[in-house]
Amino acid sequence: MSGANSDGKNTPRKGLPGMPFCESTMLRETVERAIRWLEDLPSRRVGAWASAEEIRKALGGTLNEEGMAPSDVVAAFSEGAASGLTGSPGPRYFGFVTGGALPASLAADWLASAWDQNAVLAVSSPAASAAEEIVSEWIIDLLGLPPESSAGFVTGCQMANFTCLAAARHEVLRRSGHDVEKDGLQGAPRVTVIAGEEAHATLLVALRMLGFGTGNVLSVPADGQGRMIPEKAEDALRAASGPVILCLQAGNVNTGAFDPCARIIPAARAKGAWVHVDGAFGLWGRMLPSLKTHTDGVELADSWATDAHKWLNVPYDSGIAVVRHSAAHRASMALNAPYYIAGEGEVRDPSQWVPESSRRARGFPLYCGLKSLGRKGVREMVERNCRQARLMALLLSEDPMVTILNDVVLNQVLVRFSCPGSDSDAFTRTVTAQVQEEGTCWAGGSVWKGMAAMRISVSNWFTSDDDIFRSAEAIRSVLGKAARSGR
Ligand SMILES: *Cc1c(COP(=O)(O)O)cnc(C)c1O
Protein backbone atom coordinates (compact mmCIF):
# COMPACT_ATOMS: atom_id res chain seq x y z
CA MET A 1 0.00 0.00 0.00
CA SER A 2 1.20 3.46 -0.73
CA GLY A 3 -0.08 6.81 0.36
CA ALA A 4 -1.64 7.76 -2.97
CA ASN A 5 -3.70 10.34 -1.18
CA SER A 6 -1.42 13.31 -0.70
CA ASP A 7 -3.82 15.73 0.94
CA GLY A 8 -2.79 14.30 4.30
CA LYS A 9 -6.40 13.51 5.20
CA ASN A 10 -7.41 10.16 6.51
CA THR A 11 -6.42 7.74 3.76
CA PRO A 12 -7.95 4.50 5.03
CA ARG A 13 -5.33 2.01 5.98
CA LYS A 14 -5.61 -1.44 4.47
CA GLY A 15 -5.44 -4.50 6.65
CA LEU A 16 -2.18 -6.09 7.66
CA PRO A 17 -2.21 -9.02 5.19
CA GLY A 18 -0.27 -8.03 2.10
CA MET A 19 1.10 -4.83 3.68
CA PRO A 20 4.74 -4.21 2.92
CA PHE A 21 6.75 -4.68 6.08
CA CYS A 22 9.09 -1.77 5.75
CA GLU A 23 7.32 0.85 3.61
CA SER A 24 10.58 1.35 1.79
CA THR A 25 9.37 4.25 -0.38
CA MET A 26 8.11 6.12 2.65
CA LEU A 27 11.33 5.46 4.56
CA ARG A 28 13.48 6.67 1.66
CA GLU A 29 11.38 9.82 1.39
CA THR A 30 11.80 10.35 5.10
CA VAL A 31 15.56 10.08 4.84
CA GLU A 32 15.44 12.69 2.06
CA ARG A 33 13.34 14.95 4.27
CA ALA A 34 15.80 14.58 7.12
CA ILE A 35 18.71 15.35 4.82
CA ARG A 36 16.98 18.47 3.46
CA TRP A 37 16.49 19.68 7.04
CA LEU A 38 20.17 19.11 7.78
CA GLU A 39 21.26 20.87 4.60
CA ASP A 40 19.15 23.91 5.46
CA LEU A 41 20.35 24.11 9.06
CA PRO A 42 23.46 26.30 8.56
CA SER A 43 21.51 28.96 6.65
CA ARG A 44 18.10 28.97 8.32
CA ARG A 45 16.91 31.31 11.02
CA VAL A 46 18.15 29.65 14.19
CA GLY A 47 15.13 30.05 16.47
CA ALA A 48 11.75 28.41 15.90
CA TRP A 49 9.01 30.34 14.09
CA ALA A 50 6.02 28.86 15.86
CA SER A 51 5.20 28.40 19.52
CA ALA A 52 4.33 25.06 21.11
CA GLU A 53 0.73 26.28 21.30
CA GLU A 54 0.62 26.95 17.55
CA ILE A 55 2.06 23.53 16.76
CA ARG A 56 -0.38 21.88 19.12
CA LYS A 57 -3.23 23.56 17.24
CA ALA A 58 -1.81 22.56 13.86
CA LEU A 59 -1.20 18.90 14.71
CA GLY A 60 -3.75 18.24 17.46
CA GLY A 61 -7.39 17.30 17.56
CA THR A 62 -8.94 13.99 18.43
CA LEU A 63 -7.18 10.84 17.25
CA ASN A 64 -8.67 9.47 14.02
CA GLU A 65 -10.67 6.26 14.37
CA GLU A 66 -9.40 4.74 11.11
CA GLY A 67 -5.69 4.36 10.46
CA MET A 68 -3.99 6.40 7.77
CA ALA A 69 -1.33 5.64 5.20
CA PRO A 70 2.08 5.96 6.91
CA SER A 71 3.45 8.12 4.08
CA ASP A 72 0.60 10.62 4.51
CA VAL A 73 0.97 10.65 8.27
CA VAL A 74 4.70 11.26 8.19
CA ALA A 75 4.50 13.90 5.44
CA ALA A 76 1.80 15.86 7.24
CA PHE A 77 3.55 15.49 10.59
CA SER A 78 6.90 16.70 9.35
CA GLU A 79 5.34 19.69 7.58
CA GLY A 80 3.22 20.52 10.61
CA ALA A 81 6.12 20.29 13.04
CA ALA A 82 8.67 22.17 10.90
CA SER A 83 7.98 25.73 12.09
CA GLY A 84 8.22 24.57 15.68
CA LEU A 85 11.73 23.15 15.30
CA THR A 86 14.73 25.06 16.60
CA GLY A 87 17.97 24.98 14.66
CA SER A 88 19.66 23.59 17.76
CA PRO A 89 21.91 21.07 15.95
CA GLY A 90 23.20 23.90 13.74
CA PRO A 91 26.43 25.87 14.03
CA ARG A 92 25.06 29.16 15.45
CA TYR A 93 22.88 27.77 18.21
CA PHE A 94 24.54 28.76 21.48
CA GLY A 95 21.61 28.07 23.80
CA PHE A 96 21.93 26.03 27.02
CA VAL A 97 24.83 23.62 26.37
CA THR A 98 23.75 21.94 23.18
CA GLY A 99 25.73 19.74 20.85
CA GLY A 100 24.74 18.86 17.31
CA ALA A 101 24.97 15.41 15.78
CA LEU A 102 28.13 14.17 14.11
CA PRO A 103 27.13 12.60 10.77
CA ALA A 104 28.41 9.15 11.75
CA SER A 105 26.64 9.24 15.10
CA LEU A 106 23.41 10.38 13.47
CA ALA A 107 23.61 7.56 10.93
CA ALA A 108 24.24 5.04 13.71
CA ASP A 109 21.28 6.48 15.60
CA TRP A 110 19.10 5.88 12.55
CA LEU A 111 20.37 2.31 12.47
CA ALA A 112 19.67 1.94 16.17
CA SER A 113 16.03 2.81 15.43
CA ALA A 114 15.79 0.62 12.35
CA TRP A 115 17.46 -2.31 14.06
CA ASP A 116 15.26 -1.62 17.09
CA GLN A 117 17.51 -3.57 19.41
CA ASN A 118 16.64 -3.89 23.06
CA ALA A 119 19.75 -2.98 25.05
CA VAL A 120 18.55 -4.76 28.16
CA LEU A 121 20.58 -7.96 28.08
CA ALA A 122 23.45 -9.30 26.03
CA VAL A 123 21.15 -12.06 24.85
CA SER A 124 18.54 -9.60 23.56
CA SER A 125 21.20 -7.83 21.50
CA PRO A 126 24.80 -9.05 21.53
CA ALA A 127 25.74 -6.07 19.33
CA ALA A 128 24.24 -3.52 21.71
CA SER A 129 26.04 -5.10 24.65
CA ALA A 130 29.35 -5.23 22.79
CA ALA A 131 29.11 -1.64 21.54
CA GLU A 132 28.54 -0.36 25.08
CA GLU A 133 31.42 -2.37 26.39
CA ILE A 134 33.75 -1.05 23.70
CA VAL A 135 32.77 2.61 24.07
CA SER A 136 32.92 2.48 27.86
CA GLU A 137 36.60 1.54 27.58
CA TRP A 138 37.24 4.28 25.02
CA ILE A 139 35.49 6.96 27.04
CA ILE A 140 37.13 6.04 30.35
CA ASP A 141 40.48 6.15 28.56
CA LEU A 142 39.78 9.46 26.74
CA LEU A 143 38.73 11.14 29.98
CA GLY A 144 41.73 9.75 31.87
CA LEU A 145 39.57 7.99 34.47
CA PRO A 146 40.59 4.83 36.35
CA PRO A 147 40.61 1.86 33.94
CA GLU A 148 38.82 -0.39 36.43
CA SER A 149 35.72 1.88 36.28
CA SER A 150 32.39 0.70 34.90
CA ALA A 151 30.03 2.78 32.77
CA GLY A 152 26.27 2.94 32.29
CA PHE A 153 24.55 4.53 29.30
CA VAL A 154 21.59 6.67 30.31
CA THR A 155 19.44 9.45 28.85
CA GLY A 156 21.52 12.39 30.06
CA CYS A 157 23.55 13.83 32.86
CA GLN A 158 20.56 14.04 35.18
CA MET A 159 20.25 10.26 35.10
CA ALA A 160 24.02 9.87 35.12
CA ASN A 161 24.11 11.88 38.35
CA PHE A 162 21.32 9.67 39.71
CA THR A 163 23.12 6.45 38.76
CA CYS A 164 26.45 7.56 40.22
CA LEU A 165 24.85 8.78 43.43
CA ALA A 166 22.90 5.54 43.81
CA ALA A 167 26.24 3.72 43.72
CA ALA A 168 27.57 6.23 46.25
CA ARG A 169 24.58 5.66 48.53
CA HIS A 170 25.08 1.90 48.31
CA GLU A 171 28.77 2.05 49.12
CA VAL A 172 28.84 4.56 51.97
CA LEU A 173 25.98 2.74 53.70
CA ARG A 174 27.47 -0.70 53.03
CA ARG A 175 30.63 0.47 54.79
CA SER A 176 28.42 1.37 57.76
CA GLY A 177 26.86 -2.09 57.72
CA HIS A 178 23.57 -1.07 56.14
CA ASP A 179 22.01 -2.68 53.04
CA VAL A 180 20.17 0.18 51.36
CA GLU A 181 18.93 -1.92 48.44
CA LYS A 182 17.17 -4.25 50.86
CA ASP A 183 16.20 -1.95 53.71
CA GLY A 184 16.00 1.41 52.01
CA LEU A 185 16.80 4.47 54.07
CA GLN A 186 14.63 3.22 56.96
CA GLY A 187 16.91 2.87 59.93
CA ALA A 188 19.99 3.78 57.91
CA PRO A 189 22.78 5.86 59.42
CA ARG A 190 22.42 9.51 58.45
CA VAL A 191 24.44 10.34 55.34
CA THR A 192 26.02 13.79 55.14
CA VAL A 193 25.66 15.09 51.60
CA ILE A 194 27.83 18.06 50.67
CA ALA A 195 27.54 20.00 47.40
CA GLY A 196 28.59 23.39 46.11
CA GLU A 197 26.13 26.27 46.17
CA GLU A 198 26.57 26.31 42.39
CA ALA A 199 25.62 22.63 41.96
CA HIS A 200 23.50 22.01 38.88
CA ALA A 201 19.76 21.71 39.46
CA THR A 202 19.74 18.15 38.13
CA LEU A 203 22.22 17.03 40.77
CA LEU A 204 19.75 18.19 43.40
CA VAL A 205 16.94 16.34 41.62
CA ALA A 206 19.06 13.17 41.69
CA LEU A 207 19.65 13.59 45.43
CA ARG A 208 15.92 14.19 45.91
CA MET A 209 14.98 11.02 44.02
CA LEU A 210 17.47 9.02 46.09
CA GLY A 211 15.72 9.99 49.29
CA PHE A 212 18.34 12.40 50.63
CA GLY A 213 16.12 15.46 50.28
CA THR A 214 17.47 18.73 48.96
CA GLY A 215 16.91 20.45 52.29
CA ASN A 216 19.55 18.25 53.92
CA VAL A 217 22.34 19.05 51.46
CA LEU A 218 25.16 21.04 53.03
CA SER A 219 25.81 23.84 50.62
CA VAL A 220 29.43 25.01 50.30
CA PRO A 221 29.95 28.66 49.23
CA ALA A 222 31.49 29.37 45.84
CA ASP A 223 33.74 32.12 44.57
CA GLY A 224 32.99 34.72 41.88
CA GLN A 225 33.43 32.13 39.11
CA GLY A 226 31.19 29.56 40.81
CA ARG A 227 34.05 27.39 42.09
CA MET A 228 33.64 25.75 45.47
CA ILE A 229 35.88 27.53 48.01
CA PRO A 230 38.28 24.80 49.19
CA GLU A 231 38.61 26.05 52.79
CA LYS A 232 34.82 26.00 53.13
CA ALA A 233 34.67 22.48 51.71
CA GLU A 234 37.32 21.38 54.20
CA ASP A 235 35.32 22.96 57.04
CA ALA A 236 32.21 21.05 55.96
CA LEU A 237 34.16 17.79 55.75
CA ARG A 238 35.73 18.34 59.16
CA ALA A 239 32.33 18.92 60.77
CA ALA A 240 30.78 15.82 59.20
CA SER A 241 30.52 12.48 60.98
CA GLY A 242 29.36 9.11 59.65
CA PRO A 243 28.97 8.37 55.95
CA VAL A 244 29.69 11.32 53.62
CA ILE A 245 29.01 11.98 49.95
CA LEU A 246 30.69 15.03 48.43
CA CYS A 247 29.46 16.34 45.08
CA LEU A 248 31.84 18.41 42.98
CA GLN A 249 31.45 19.95 39.57
CA ALA A 250 33.65 20.03 36.47
CA GLY A 251 32.25 22.82 34.29
CA ASN A 252 29.79 25.26 35.80
CA VAL A 253 26.79 25.59 33.50
CA ASN A 254 27.11 29.38 33.46
CA THR A 255 30.83 30.10 33.67
CA GLY A 256 32.45 26.79 32.69
CA ALA A 257 34.54 26.94 35.90
CA PHE A 258 35.84 23.82 37.67
CA ASP A 259 35.70 23.07 41.37
CA PRO A 260 39.28 22.70 42.68
CA CYS A 261 39.27 18.89 42.68
CA ALA A 262 43.01 18.40 43.19
CA ARG A 263 42.77 20.33 46.44
CA ILE A 264 39.43 19.07 47.80
CA ILE A 265 39.31 15.39 46.84
CA PRO A 266 42.32 14.20 48.89
CA ALA A 267 40.78 15.80 52.00
CA ALA A 268 37.45 14.11 51.26
CA ARG A 269 39.01 10.72 50.73
CA ALA A 270 40.94 11.03 53.99
CA LYS A 271 37.52 11.42 55.59
CA GLY A 272 36.27 8.26 53.83
CA ALA A 273 33.81 10.25 51.74
CA TRP A 274 32.54 9.17 48.33
CA VAL A 275 33.35 11.94 45.85
CA HIS A 276 31.10 12.44 42.85
CA VAL A 277 31.87 14.81 39.97
CA ASP A 278 29.13 16.29 37.78
CA GLY A 279 30.97 16.92 34.54
CA ALA A 280 28.15 17.10 32.01
CA PHE A 281 30.27 18.95 29.47
CA GLY A 282 33.33 20.11 31.45
CA LEU A 283 34.66 16.57 31.85
CA TRP A 284 35.64 16.69 28.17
CA GLY A 285 38.03 19.50 29.06
CA ARG A 286 40.20 16.65 30.41
CA MET A 287 41.27 16.06 26.83
CA LEU A 288 43.18 19.37 26.69
CA PRO A 289 46.63 19.63 28.30
CA SER A 290 46.11 23.41 28.35
CA LEU A 291 43.31 22.95 30.91
CA LYS A 292 45.33 20.78 33.28
CA THR A 293 45.34 23.33 36.07
CA HIS A 294 41.54 23.21 36.04
CA THR A 295 40.94 19.52 35.43
CA ASP A 296 43.74 17.88 37.40
CA GLY A 297 42.53 15.82 40.33
CA VAL A 298 39.13 15.05 38.78
CA GLU A 299 40.36 11.48 38.28
CA LEU A 300 40.69 11.05 42.05
CA ALA A 301 36.91 10.94 42.50
CA ASP A 302 34.73 7.84 42.87
CA SER A 303 32.15 8.61 40.20
CA TRP A 304 31.65 10.93 37.24
CA ALA A 305 28.54 11.92 35.33
CA THR A 306 28.75 13.29 31.82
CA ASP A 307 26.75 13.84 28.67
CA ALA A 308 27.43 12.70 25.14
CA HIS A 309 24.60 14.78 23.65
CA LYS A 310 26.34 17.98 24.72
CA TRP A 311 29.99 18.33 23.76
CA LEU A 312 30.51 14.94 22.16
CA ASN A 313 27.84 15.84 19.57
CA VAL A 314 25.95 12.56 19.71
CA PRO A 315 22.17 12.94 19.08
CA TYR A 316 19.77 13.03 22.01
CA ASP A 317 19.57 11.27 24.29
CA SER A 318 22.92 10.16 25.60
CA GLY A 319 24.46 10.44 29.04
CA ILE A 320 27.19 8.38 30.71
CA ALA A 321 27.64 7.36 34.35
CA VAL A 322 31.16 6.23 35.21
CA VAL A 323 31.86 4.58 38.57
CA ARG A 324 35.28 3.62 39.93
CA HIS A 325 33.85 0.81 42.09
CA SER A 326 32.03 -1.45 39.68
CA ALA A 327 30.69 -3.69 42.46
CA ALA A 328 28.89 -0.74 44.06
CA HIS A 329 27.68 0.43 40.65
CA ARG A 330 26.24 -2.96 39.85
CA ALA A 331 24.78 -3.62 43.28
CA SER A 332 22.80 -0.39 43.13
CA MET A 333 21.42 -0.94 39.62
CA ALA A 334 21.19 -4.73 39.18
CA LEU A 335 18.04 -6.11 37.67
CA ASN A 336 17.04 -9.61 38.71
CA ALA A 337 14.01 -11.50 37.50
CA PRO A 338 13.47 -15.19 36.78
CA TYR A 339 12.73 -14.59 33.09
CA TYR A 340 15.87 -12.52 32.61
CA ILE A 341 18.31 -15.27 31.97
CA ALA A 342 21.53 -13.35 32.21
CA GLY A 343 24.42 -14.25 29.97
CA GLU A 344 27.11 -16.65 31.05
CA GLY A 345 30.38 -15.55 32.55
CA GLU A 346 31.80 -12.24 31.46
CA VAL A 347 28.88 -11.10 29.32
CA ARG A 348 27.93 -7.47 29.95
CA ASP A 349 24.21 -7.01 30.37
CA PRO A 350 23.56 -3.30 29.71
CA SER A 351 20.70 -3.13 32.24
CA GLN A 352 23.00 -3.98 35.17
CA TRP A 353 24.51 -0.49 35.05
CA VAL A 354 21.53 1.84 34.61
CA PRO A 355 18.13 2.52 36.19
CA GLU A 356 16.31 1.44 33.04
CA SER A 357 15.45 -2.03 31.84
CA SER A 358 14.45 -2.02 28.15
CA ARG A 359 15.95 0.82 26.15
CA ARG A 360 17.57 1.80 22.85
CA ALA A 361 21.11 0.83 21.93
CA ARG A 362 22.90 4.02 22.96
CA GLY A 363 26.28 2.47 22.27
CA PHE A 364 25.80 2.57 18.47
CA PRO A 365 25.86 6.36 17.92
CA LEU A 366 28.66 6.68 20.47
CA TYR A 367 30.72 4.03 18.71
CA CYS A 368 30.41 5.59 15.26
CA GLY A 369 30.76 9.18 16.48
CA LEU A 370 33.93 8.43 18.42
CA LYS A 371 35.47 6.38 15.62
CA SER A 372 34.72 9.04 13.03
CA LEU A 373 36.49 11.69 15.12
CA GLY A 374 39.29 9.60 16.54
CA ARG A 375 41.08 10.74 19.68
CA LYS A 376 42.54 13.66 17.80
CA GLY A 377 39.17 14.74 16.44
CA VAL A 378 37.56 14.82 19.89
CA ARG A 379 40.47 16.84 21.25
CA GLU A 380 40.37 19.27 18.32
CA MET A 381 36.62 19.77 18.60
CA VAL A 382 36.87 20.66 22.29
CA GLU A 383 39.90 22.86 21.70
CA ARG A 384 38.27 24.67 18.77
CA ASN A 385 35.08 25.42 20.70
CA CYS A 386 37.10 26.80 23.64
CA ARG A 387 39.07 29.04 21.30
CA GLN A 388 35.85 30.16 19.61
CA ALA A 389 34.33 31.05 22.99
CA ARG A 390 37.35 33.29 23.66
CA LEU A 391 37.00 34.80 20.19
CA MET A 392 33.33 35.53 20.80
CA ALA A 393 34.14 37.18 24.13
CA LEU A 394 36.86 39.28 22.49
CA LEU A 395 34.65 40.42 19.60
CA LEU A 396 31.73 41.31 21.85
CA SER A 397 33.82 43.12 24.42
CA GLU A 398 35.01 45.58 21.79
CA ASP A 399 31.64 47.20 22.38
CA PRO A 400 31.66 49.41 25.49
CA MET A 401 28.08 48.36 26.26
CA VAL A 402 29.25 44.75 26.77
CA THR A 403 30.68 43.23 29.93
CA ILE A 404 31.89 39.62 29.94
CA LEU A 405 30.99 38.34 33.40
CA ASN A 406 33.15 35.20 33.50
CA ASP A 407 36.75 34.17 32.91
CA VAL A 408 36.34 32.32 29.63
CA VAL A 409 38.24 29.16 30.56
CA LEU A 410 36.09 26.70 28.66
CA ASN A 411 33.27 27.08 26.10
CA GLN A 412 30.92 29.32 28.10
CA VAL A 413 30.61 33.10 27.74
CA LEU A 414 28.38 35.15 30.05
CA VAL A 415 27.45 38.49 28.54
CA ARG A 416 25.84 41.50 30.16
CA PHE A 417 24.63 44.54 28.23
CA SER A 418 24.32 48.01 29.65
CA CYS A 419 23.23 51.30 28.21
CA PRO A 420 23.41 54.67 29.98
CA GLY A 421 20.02 55.62 31.34
CA SER A 422 18.52 52.13 31.36
CA ASP A 423 18.42 49.35 33.91
CA SER A 424 21.06 46.77 32.90
CA ASP A 425 19.00 43.73 33.92
CA ALA A 426 16.04 44.83 31.81
CA PHE A 427 18.32 45.95 28.96
CA THR A 428 20.17 42.60 28.96
CA ARG A 429 16.90 40.70 28.81
CA THR A 430 15.62 42.92 25.99
CA VAL A 431 18.78 42.52 23.92
CA THR A 432 18.78 38.73 24.50
CA ALA A 433 15.18 38.49 23.27
CA GLN A 434 16.02 40.64 20.23
CA VAL A 435 19.06 38.53 19.40
CA GLN A 436 16.80 35.47 19.41
CA GLU A 437 14.26 37.27 17.25
CA GLU A 438 16.85 38.50 14.74
CA GLY A 439 17.70 34.86 14.02
CA THR A 440 21.37 34.83 12.95
CA CYS A 441 22.18 32.98 16.14
CA TRP A 442 20.41 31.93 19.32
CA ALA A 443 21.59 32.35 22.91
CA GLY A 444 19.58 32.04 26.08
CA GLY A 445 19.15 34.20 29.13
CA SER A 446 20.55 33.41 32.55
CA VAL A 447 21.13 34.99 35.93
CA TRP A 448 24.63 35.13 37.37
CA LYS A 449 25.22 36.36 40.94
CA GLY A 450 21.89 38.14 40.80
CA MET A 451 22.61 39.81 37.45
CA ALA A 452 20.74 39.13 34.22
CA ALA A 453 23.06 37.74 31.54
CA MET A 454 23.03 36.26 28.07
CA ARG A 455 24.72 32.89 28.02
CA ILE A 456 26.68 31.71 25.00
CA SER A 457 27.79 28.10 24.90
CA VAL A 458 29.96 27.01 21.98
CA SER A 459 29.45 23.24 21.81
CA ASN A 460 28.84 22.32 18.20
CA TRP A 461 31.26 20.30 16.06
CA PHE A 462 30.32 22.30 12.94
CA THR A 463 30.71 25.85 14.30
CA SER A 464 33.29 27.74 12.25
CA ASP A 465 35.16 30.90 13.10
CA ASP A 466 33.02 32.58 10.45
CA ASP A 467 29.92 31.58 12.44
CA ILE A 468 31.44 33.33 15.45
CA PHE A 469 32.22 36.50 13.46
CA ARG A 470 28.73 36.55 11.93
CA SER A 471 27.05 35.96 15.28
CA ALA A 472 29.11 38.57 17.13
CA GLU A 473 28.31 41.08 14.41
CA ALA A 474 24.59 40.29 14.60
CA ILE A 475 24.59 40.59 18.40
CA ARG A 476 26.40 43.94 18.26
CA SER A 477 24.06 45.25 15.59
CA VAL A 478 21.00 44.26 17.68
CA LEU A 479 22.66 45.87 20.70
CA GLY A 480 23.29 49.11 18.79
CA LYS A 481 19.67 49.29 17.66
CA ALA A 482 18.36 48.56 21.15
CA ALA A 483 20.56 51.31 22.58
CA ARG A 484 19.44 53.83 19.96
CA SER A 485 15.78 53.07 20.56
CA GLY A 486 16.51 53.75 24.23
CA ARG A 487 15.36 50.42 25.63
C1 LIG B 1 23.39 19.92 31.35
C2 LIG B 1 23.90 19.63 32.69
C3 LIG B 1 23.31 18.64 33.48
C4 LIG B 1 22.06 17.91 33.07
O1 LIG B 1 22.22 17.19 31.91
P1 LIG B 1 21.00 16.61 31.08
O2 LIG B 1 21.68 16.06 29.89
O3 LIG B 1 20.08 17.75 30.79
O4 LIG B 1 20.33 15.57 31.90
C5 LIG B 1 23.89 18.37 34.70
N1 LIG B 1 24.97 19.03 35.13
C6 LIG B 1 25.56 20.00 34.40
C7 LIG B 1 26.76 20.69 34.93
C8 LIG B 1 25.05 20.33 33.15
O5 LIG B 1 25.63 21.27 32.41
Side-chain angles (χ1 to χ4, degrees):
M1 88 176 205
S2 68
N5 183 352
S6 61
D7 64 4
K9 300 256 158 56
N10 238 13
T11 314
R13 182 177 182 166
K14 299 197 191 83
L16 286 174
M19 260 180 70
F21 177 60
C22 79
E23 295 278 353
S24 54
T25 305
M26 187 271 293
L27 289 180
R28 285 203 181 87
E29 283 167 7
T30 305
V31 168
E32 284 302 323
R33 255 177 220 292
I35 292 172
R36 279 199 299 279
W37 143 264
L38 292 169
E39 284 174 342
D40 285 349
L41 260 183
S43 56
R44 64 161 262 170
R45 169 199 155 93
V46 178
W49 286 269
S51 66
E53 174 65 10
E54 285 163 329
I55 300 298
R56 197 182 58 75
K57 283 204 181 113
L59 293 177
T62 51
L63 179 61
N64 37 294
E65 181 63 27
E66 299 295 328
M68 293 169 65
S71 57
D72 292 347
V73 174
V74 174
F77 169 69
S78 96
E79 277 150 33
S83 55
L85 300 176
T86 54
S88 54
R92 289 184 309 285
Y93 186 86
F94 305 115
F96 309 95
V97 183
T98 304
L102 294 159
S105 62
L106 174 61
D109 200 61
W110 287 354
L111 287 176
S113 288
W115 291 343
D116 198 19
Q117 299 292 287
N118 188 351
V120 55
L121 299 171
V123 71
S124 64
S125 180
S129 161
E132 289 192 3
E133 194 162 4
I134 294 165
V135 297
S136 60
E137 276 175 27
W138 289 350
I139 288 166
I140 287 164
D141 183 48
L142 280 175
L143 296 173
L145 301 177
E148 70 271 25
S149 306
S150 48
F153 295 88
V154 290
T155 48
C157 201
Q158 155 113 55
M159 287 315 287
N161 279 327
F162 175 87
T163 304
C164 290
L165 290 167
R169 187 180 68 164
H170 166 89
E171 183 62 14
V172 297
L173 288 174
R174 186 193 65 79
R175 289 183 202 154
S176 310
H178 184 83
D179 181 347
V180 72
E181 279 69 43
K182 177 165 157 281
D183 298 326
L185 289 174
Q186 315 278 10
R190 189 185 167 82
V191 178
T192 303
V193 181
I194 307 171
E197 66 170 332
E198 276 294 327
H200 195 268
T202 59
L203 183 104
L204 299 175
V205 171
L207 289 169
R208 190 176 81 200
M209 292 191 295
L210 286 162
F212 291 121
T214 51
N216 290 320
V217 177
L218 284 181
S219 178
V220 179
D223 67 11
Q225 294 298 317
R227 293 172 296 226
M228 190 183 273
I229 298 170
E231 292 78 11
K232 303 283 183 192
E234 282 157 10
D235 289 348
L237 284 165
R238 215 170 294 121
S241 60
V244 179
I245 297 172
L246 170 67
C247 304
L248 300 176
Q249 181 163 257
N252 176 285
V253 78
N254 274 308
T255 64
F258 293 80
D259 284 344
C261 291
R263 166 96 189 258
I264 298 174
I265 298 179
R269 298 204 95 180
K271 185 85 188 179
W274 178 292
V275 183
H276 170 67
V277 176
D278 175 359
F281 57 100
L283 209 55
W284 297 92
R286 300 259 305 157
M287 307 249 350
L288 305 188
S290 58
L291 288 175
K292 258 180 112 47
T293 52
H294 300 277
T295 61
D296 260 5
V298 165
E299 73 284 358
L300 302 173
D302 299 284
S303 59
W304 305 265
T306 194
D307 263 321
H309 56 219
K310 286 182 175 170
W311 223 346
L312 200 54
N313 280 261
V314 165
Y316 290 102
D317 40 29
S318 191
I320 308 156
V322 180
V323 180
R324 179 193 292 272
H325 317 277
S326 64
H329 186 181
R330 191 173 172 143
S332 59
M333 291 293 136
L335 173 73
N336 298 303
Y339 50 90
Y340 285 141
I341 309 300
E344 296 286 314
E346 292 305 295
V347 167
R348 180 188 189 280
D349 286 324
S351 56
Q352 303 301 335
W353 311 98
V354 297
E356 300 142 294
S357 164
S358 300
R359 65 178 168 86
R360 71 191 278 103
R362 291 201 187 97
F364 297 161
L366 276 164
Y367 179 94
C368 291
L370 283 168
K371 250 195 125 96
S372 74
L373 286 175
R375 299 179 69 93
K376 189 168 163 220
V378 182
R379 198 164 51 237
E380 283 175 354
M381 176 170 73
V382 172
E383 198 156 42
R384 184 169 62 245
N385 286 165
C386 291
R387 182 177 55 70
Q388 289 168 337
R390 293 194 297 271
L391 176 63
M392 178 71 96
L394 190 74
L395 293 171
L396 292 179
S397 58
E398 283 168 7
D399 193 308
M401 290 184 285
V402 168
T403 310
I404 305 297
L405 296 178
N406 64 322
D407 298 341
V408 183
V409 291
L410 204 66
N411 61 335
Q412 306 291 106
V413 187
L414 273 181
V415 192
R416 184 161 165 90
F417 304 107
S418 44
C419 171
S422 57
D423 171 69
S424 296
D425 282 334
F427 187 66
T428 297
R429 282 192 284 267
T430 300
V431 174
T432 304
Q434 290 175 358
V435 164
Q436 294 171 357
E437 188 53 39
E438 192 268 344
T440 301
C441 64
W442 200 99
S446 189
V447 175
W448 179 247
K449 304 280 174 192
M451 290 178 286
M454 187 177 84
R455 188 167 64 127
I456 295 173
S457 175
V458 190
S459 321
N460 189 291
W461 70 284
F462 198 66
T463 301
S464 67
D465 290 2
D466 183 57
D467 288 312
I468 301 294
F469 283 110
R470 273 181 66 189
S471 302
E473 197 179 302
I475 293 167
R476 288 184 59 180
S477 147
V478 165
L479 171 60
K481 278 191 203 130
R484 281 193 296 282
S485 73
R487 298 194 297 148

